[in-house]
Amino acid sequence: MPMLDRRMFLQASAAFGGAFALGAGLAAKAGGAPDPQILTARFTEARIATGGTTPRLMTYDLSGTAGSGVPPVLRMRKGEPYAARLINRLDEPTTVHWHGLRIVNAMDGVPEMTQPYVYPGEGFDYLFTPPDAGTFWYHPHCNTLMQMGSGLTGVIVVENPEDPAFDAEIVLNLRDWRLNASGAFIAPFKPRDAARGGTYGTVRTANWQREPVYDAPAGGLVRVRIAATDVTRIYSIGLEGAAARVIALDGNPVEMPFALDRLDIGPGQRVDLALRMPENEESRATLDNFRGSSPWTIATFRAVGASLKRDLRDINPLPPNPVAEADLSTARRIPIDLTATAEQGVSTSICGTLGYTFWAINKVPWPGDTPDPVAPIEELKLGKSYVLEIANRTPHAHPIHLHGLSFRVLAANKRTVLPPPTDTILLLPDEQAQLALVADNPGDWLFHCHIIEHQKTGMAAYFRVA
Ligand code: C2O
Ligand code: CU
């Protein structure tokens, strides 16, 4: 597999001299930082397929947590510093990207661009203050298809003491696995699929289980936090047997919570639901996927105990996050075209390459995580407003993610309901959208499709904010 170039790996290892990178060392001294959570990336094994245990599963482990294989839900607080020390016990370099958190650039986890590679046996200290409350997630930004595909995708909950209280909370980390019948990993992608919608997994899970069942109080209100962390799958979720309201999308509260009917969520996206459990003990509700020809159950919620007799109207809307409002009278417009390409742009990379180029942004295919990437797609002036006029000129959907900044969808030709500010938009085939943002976070911010095969075969770029 051409995932990691051994020679480059060794060269760069030597160059970094095995140093333990203290990314946050200086900042830590300044601000009375909390003790870091020790987040170890390591191998484990778990039973995911019916036919047998999956060896060489990758996971994150917080010291002291039992290893079910599912990376821990990391809990942080809005506006309070958070620290994590990544320890790499894998056999290849890695990093952690905090998807959707608008934090300082040096903590963003993109090798070559914001931090050094973290080699096996080494570590990196992350320290940042999440400005927004909500549901986010974390994953590596190195050899990403392989590492995420092998299990390195975890959920982040940023709590806000002002959030309304629920009777229970259930976190669902949704993803697939490319496993054979006995549970071993198979090739992470097929080139012909990478050039189309992406390669699907063979086993579908929520929290690494096939159709798990969760208990919650009968007649109670549950906050269900859903993160789509798969490298390819787009879901169209719906509920049977209970009612729910959508209260947040991609970490940001929706202004007017609405009843969940069918909702599309692409790789990288999150949904927070207020779910009203069925009234009678033992009744069940299911969360289902309706995309594709035959619907299937993602997870089941089973009512337990006497009814709490709660009502969805008991829940107040979530307080908004402090996302700046773009000044549309001065905003410069930036065209962004997503296309297929016949150009070849692959270069070898310490973080792996798939060996193909299929996609481009503004005609330029991304060369990979190299010391010497292409120029930024655009330089943005710190504090200024912009409108990205993005056009998906392909017959496939692309969940497009921007690091470090949130944007608002002002208009789009394939939808009538516009989401709250977001970090990831699922652009439908041939969709065109206007995305407004304030460039209020300095640094180099990656911008890419979150179907990882698309990202790794060209559909990536970056903005420079200075
Ligand atoms: Cu969730 Cu650049 O990634
Ligand atoms: Cu894509």
Side-chain angles (χ1 to χ4, degrees):
M1 258 173 291
M3 300 306 273
L4 192 73
D5 184 312
R6 207 69 208 170
R7 187 178 50 86
M8 283 186 64
F9 175 106
L10 292 173
Q11 279 173 355
S13 258
F16 276 98
F20 183 85
L22 287 166
L26 291 176
K29 261 177 231 140
D35 285 341
Q37 290 196 290
I38 307 297
L39 192 65
T40 304
R42 65 168 175 81
F43 290 106
T44 184
E45 48 180 56
R47 181 106 177 186
I48 293 171
T50 40
T53 297
T54 298
R56 289 186 62 85
L57 192 73
M58 291 180 182
T59 191
Y60 294 109
D61 198 7
L62 280 183
S63 41
T65 45
S68 63
V70 187
V73 175
L74 299 182
R75 294 196 176 259
M76 313 172 183
R77 278 217 158 178
K78 178 184 176 180
E80 291 182 18
Y82 170 82
R85 173 167 297 165
L86 170 70
I87 303 285
N88 184 359
R89 299 262 176 257
L90 305 171
D91 58 2
E92 60 180 71
T94 192
T95 61
V96 179
H97 169 58
W98 315 88
H99 182 123
L101 299 185
R102 298 184 298 138
I103 55 180
V104 290
N105 194 243
M107 298 291 114
D108 196 47
V110 181
E112 300 287 7
M113 193 166 281
T114 73
Q115 70 160 87
Y117 303 96
V118 182
Y119 287 94
E122 296 182 355
F124 190 87
D125 277 354
Y126 292 95
L127 170 63
F128 52 80
T129 301
D132 304 315
T135 305
F136 301 90
W137 65 297
Y138 63 108
H139 61 78
H141 229 288
C142 186
N143 203 11
T144 323
L145 182 63
M146 194 63 160
Q147 293 187 12
M148 288 174 59
S150 299
L152 295 180
T153 61
V155 178
I156 295 171
V157 171
V158 182
E159 295 171 344
N160 180 353
E162 280 145 42
D163 277 358
F166 287 81
D167 304 310
E169 180 181 89
I170 296 171
V171 176
L172 296 177
N173 184 339
L174 308 188
R175 57 167 297 163
D176 299 349
W177 304 85
R178 287 189 49 78
L179 304 175
N180 66 17
S182 56
F185 282 108
I186 55 175
F189 78 107
K190 296 180 187 156
R192 56 165 286 139
D193 289 338
R196 296 181 171 79
T199 312
Y200 284 84
T202 58
V203 180
R204 309 177 297 225
T205 64
N207 297 337
W208 287 213
Q209 292 174 276
R210 286 163 278 108
E211 298 189 26
V213 179
Y214 296 95
D215 287 350
L221 294 176
V222 183
R223 182 166 184 170
V224 184
R225 297 178 183 265
I226 300 170
T229 76
D230 190 51
V231 295
T232 303
R233 182 178 295 285
I234 297 164
Y235 297 81
S236 182
I237 60 165
L239 266 179
E240 307 257 281
R245 283 189 184 168
V246 176
I247 57 172
L249 291 169
D250 301 331
N252 281 305
V254 297
E255 260 167 55
M256 304 270 279
F258 57 91
L260 174 65
D261 176 24
R262 299 281 181 271
L263 186 69
D264 289 348
I265 46 171
Q269 296 195 291
R270 292 86 64 204
V271 182
D272 285 44
L273 301 177
L275 166 70
R276 205 278 186 177
M277 287 296 289
E279 193 63 19
N280 300 317
E281 171 131 46
E282 288 296 325
S283 320
R284 289 159 183 249
T286 58
L287 179 74
D288 303 310
N289 179 42
F290 292 94
R291 198 176 171 94
S293 40
S294 37
W296 46 274
T297 295
I298 298 169
T300 298
F301 309 104
R302 183 173 60 188
V304 294
S307 176
L308 298 182
K309 302 266 182 225
R310 299 260 271 155
D311 190 308
L312 278 172
R313 286 165 302 193
D314 296 348
I315 294 289
N316 291 324
L318 302 170
N321 286 320
V323 179
E325 201 65 65
D327 176 355
L328 297 178
S329 67
T330 62
R332 188 154 66 79
R333 299 188 165 249
I334 300 172
I336 296 176
D337 277 8
L338 310 177
T339 56
T341 185
E343 241 170 85
Q344 285 305 308
V346 189
S347 37
T348 44
S349 161
I350 289 167
C351 281
T353 164
L354 303 192
Y356 297 88
T357 304
F358 297 123
W359 308 99
I361 297 182
N362 287 356
K363 298 210 162 60
V364 183
W366 181 250
D369 307 300
T370 63
D372 174 32
V374 294
I377 194 169
E378 200 73 52
E379 307 210 4
L380 310 181
K381 286 217 166 31
L382 187 61
K384 289 267 186 281
S385 296
Y386 295 88
V387 174
L388 312 182
E389 302 201 315
I390 190 165
N392 176 6
R393 306 202 187 277
T394 82
H396 303 282
H398 299 285
I400 301 293
H401 171 48
L402 175 59
H403 288 209
L405 303 163
S406 293
F407 53 86
R408 264 171 228 270
V409 183
L410 297 178
N413 66 342
K414 299 269 173 169
R415 64 188 84 204
T416 45
V417 181
L418 302 178
T422 179
D423 52 75
T424 309
I425 179 174
L426 179 61
L427 276 181
L428 301 174
D430 301 310
E431 187 168 32
Q432 303 186 19
Q434 299 182 11
L435 315 178
L437 61 83
V438 181
D440 54 5
N441 197 1
D444 286 349
W445 299 112
L446 224 55
F447 178 74
H448 62 85
C449 183
H450 226 290
I451 292 177
I452 306 298
E453 289 152 78
H454 294 175
Q455 173 194 351
K456 297 291 281 183
T457 56
M459 200 176 278
Y462 68 103
F463 289 95
R464 174 162 293 158
V465 177

